[in-house]
Amino acid sequence: MDTTADSTTGAAAPEAAEGVSATTGAAVGDRPAVTADVGDEATEGTGATPAREAREPRAPRQGEQSSKQKLLDAEGDAAADYLEELLDIADLDGDIDIFVENGRASVAVLADEADPTGLQVLVGPGGEVLDALQELTRLAAQAKTGERSRLLLDIAGFREDRRSTAAGIAADAVSRVRASGESVQLEPMPAYQRKAVHDAVAEAGLRSESDGAEPDRYVVVHPA
């Protein structure tokens, strides 16, 4: 199997969800905070904060950037080694692609063209097996680097397909909000899909926030 690495930072890719239902038509009241889910970890609004003096963020020093990049490369390499051994044990074929996306190490296991469905056993119903493998791969990377890993894993394009689904859900919600002038609540979805929805809604010029508790956390899209 081929293992390729791209150490450049990729463009922010929308994230998509497992088992996403159609959006509901229920309108909900406006909420004050706009929140976005980053990867598989959500950032929640906590209301107004005291005003602070504006300050330019300090640019990372060259040594800091180099150290961060080395850590991301090490995470990706450790994850690739772990996954390559897993594929050998399971007697599965796949190409491993290592890259950096949104400042996080990412690994994609691509299905062999001769057997495009051969990796589905590592995805499982609704991506359940993939989620478990992502956690195991993070632990393998952490064991090698000594640092907590937030690595993202995709297998057979499962997450990428769900990102496309999220973009469609967001576009439909934006149209409904613009037509009614009222907020629209979406069905619960995983964090990586919520992030894709937040990104698409922001690009359309509207507001969105996450609400509820996992695993029933959902996005609400508000008028501008």
Side-chain angles (χ1 to χ4, degrees):
M1 66 192 65
D2 297 329
T3 303
T4 58
D6 177 5
S7 60
T8 59
T9 302
E15 302 199 16
E18 53 193 40
V20 177
S21 309
T23 58
T24 67
V28 299
D30 290 340
R31 290 180 168 84
V34 178
T35 62
D37 294 288
V38 180
D40 57 359
E41 297 169 358
T43 301
E44 299 301 332
T46 57
T49 56
R52 297 181 180 176
E53 180 181 355
R55 181 181 303 173
E56 288 293 330
R58 179 179 67 81
R61 297 186 179 91
Q62 184 174 358
E64 292 176 343
Q65 291 179 320
S66 176
S67 176
K68 175 66 172 178
Q69 186 61 55
K70 287 180 180 179
L71 176 59
L72 293 175
D73 290 343
E75 276 190 73
D77 290 340
D81 290 342
Y82 173 80
L83 292 166
E84 186 170 4
E85 183 176 356
L86 175 66
L87 291 175
D88 287 341
I89 293 173
D91 194 23
L92 296 172
D93 293 324
D95 295 329
I96 299 176
D97 188 19
I98 309 169
F99 53 100
V100 175
E101 183 175 71
N102 293 335
R104 300 169 73 170
S106 300
V107 178
V109 182
L110 310 176
D112 192 308
E113 292 183 0
D115 186 15
T117 63
L119 294 178
Q120 291 304 310
V121 66
L122 300 181
V123 175
E128 291 179 357
V129 177
L130 171 58
D131 288 341
L133 281 177
Q134 177 172 268
E135 292 306 313
L136 291 174
T137 305
R138 288 175 172 180
L139 290 175
Q142 180 175 326
K144 286 291 184 67
T145 65
E147 300 287 341
R148 177 176 179 269
S149 174
R150 298 176 64 239
L151 178 141
L152 298 176
L153 174 64
D154 193 10
I155 296 178
F158 177 84
R159 296 199 195 281
E160 189 61 37
D161 289 344
R162 296 313 184 273
R163 290 168 185 164
S164 298
T165 300
I169 291 174
D172 177 69
V174 166
S175 296
R176 291 162 58 194
V177 170
R178 284 175 172 167
S180 67
E182 297 184 359
S183 299
V184 170
Q185 176 180 315
L186 307 183
E187 291 290 330
M189 59 185 70
Y192 66 88
Q193 186 185 18
R194 295 197 301 268
K195 182 184 183 304
V197 172
H198 288 308
D199 290 345
V201 170
E203 186 175 346
L206 300 186
R207 299 182 297 114
S208 63
E209 65 176 340
S210 292
D211 203 352
E214 299 289 4
D216 298 320
R217 196 162 171 75
Y218 55 88
V219 174
V220 180
V221 180
H222 301 293

